[in-house]
Amino acid sequence: MLDMRQVTKVYRTELVETHALRSLDLHVREGEFVAVTGPSGSGKTTFLNIAGLLESFTGGEYHLDGEDVSGLSDDARSKLRNQKIGFIFQSFNLIPDLNLFDNVDVPLRYRGMNAAERKKRIEDALGRVGLGSRMKHFPAELSGGQQQRAAIARALAGTPRLLLADEPTGNLDSQMARGVLELLEEINAAGTTIVMVTHDPELAARAQRNVHIVDGMATDLSVEPSLIRVAAASLAES
């Protein structure tokens, strides 16, 4: 599903050159649930932006669902992103002036779906996350956990092949966080590939596989189990 080989990302200004990713290799098979961990400033966000086709990379190769994305135009990248990728953000990113139905509807409109198809997808997605009875509620009328579930519904409505989650429980208490993680596990069990960036070692341990990023390079902890303690310590410090 996601295949990065020797991917680099360099940010340049007139005076400074910053290497955010250094020959990063990361492979995620279809149907996997992978947690990506690492200290602040390690390159996790840059990796996620590149994986989600929100940002270009400087060198290396990236294949998404078998397609080489390096030479795609901005329009082609946007189309591929809209068709195959769903995003879940720490801050929910719901539009406060729209109710849940309309929040979930926004990305579907960009795909040119007719109203009947959009309505079915929205109702199915909100029902799937347990918010079917709250479609006309506004974000401010919901708890943090419910808002994150609504954000997940917005991602699911587009039937993505790959779901990218950036600290999806970062703004939630422990009970709400467990509920959101259980929902992600259910979504993964139904066949959706999930890559989740997290600082929480408890959440990372629930994933099928852990990848640790430090200084822009990735280490698969299932291959290097001796590094698990080091990774856990860096998470605790961050």
Side-chain angles (χ1 to χ4, degrees), residues 41 44 55 59 65 128 152 180 213 215:
K44 300 188 306 299
E55 194 170 334
D65 198 20
R128 190 173 176 186
I152 293 172
V180 167
I213 296 180
D215 296 331

Side-chain angles (χ1 to χ4, degrees), residues 104-211:
V104 177
D105 189 31
V106 168
L108 298 181
R109 288 178 175 270
Y110 288 104
R111 295 177 66 166
M113 293 181 185
N114 62 54
E117 174 66 13
R118 297 202 315 271
K119 182 175 184 294
K120 182 180 184 303
R121 284 177 177 248
I122 294 165
E123 291 175 348
D124 287 348
L126 287 171
R128 190 173 176 186
V129 302
L131 293 174
S133 63
R134 297 187 176 245
M135 285 187 281
K136 298 305 179 182
H137 284 64
F138 290 84
E141 299 174 311
L142 305 177
S143 68
Q146 289 171 327
Q147 289 186 58
Q148 188 58 289
R149 285 175 174 267
I152 293 172
R154 180 180 56 195
L156 291 179
T159 59
R161 300 283 306 281
L162 172 65
L163 196 57
L164 300 176
D166 186 8
E167 299 285 359
T169 62
N171 285 335
L172 306 177
D173 62 36
S174 58
Q175 182 175 354
M176 289 182 177
R178 281 192 293 272
V180 167
L181 183 61
E182 288 170 0
L183 176 58
L184 291 178
E185 289 173 333
E186 292 174 11
I187 293 166
N188 174 247
T192 302
T193 306
I194 298 178
V195 177
M196 174 182 68
V197 167
T198 181
H199 278 98
D200 190 329
E202 180 181 349
L203 298 184
R206 296 271 293 268
Q208 297 168 358
R209 185 158 62 94
N210 276 206
V211 173

Side-chain angles (χ1 to χ4, degrees), residues 36 40 64 67-68 74-75 82 88 92 95 116 122 141 147 159 162 164 184 207 209 214 218 222 236:
V36 177
S40 297
L64 174 64
E67 183 171 355
D68 184 354
D74 288 343
D75 287 345
N82 195 257
I88 305 170
F92 317 141
I95 301 171
I122 294 165
E141 299 174 311
Q147 289 186 58
T159 59
L162 172 65
L164 300 176
L184 291 178
R209 185 158 62 94
V214 177
S222 64

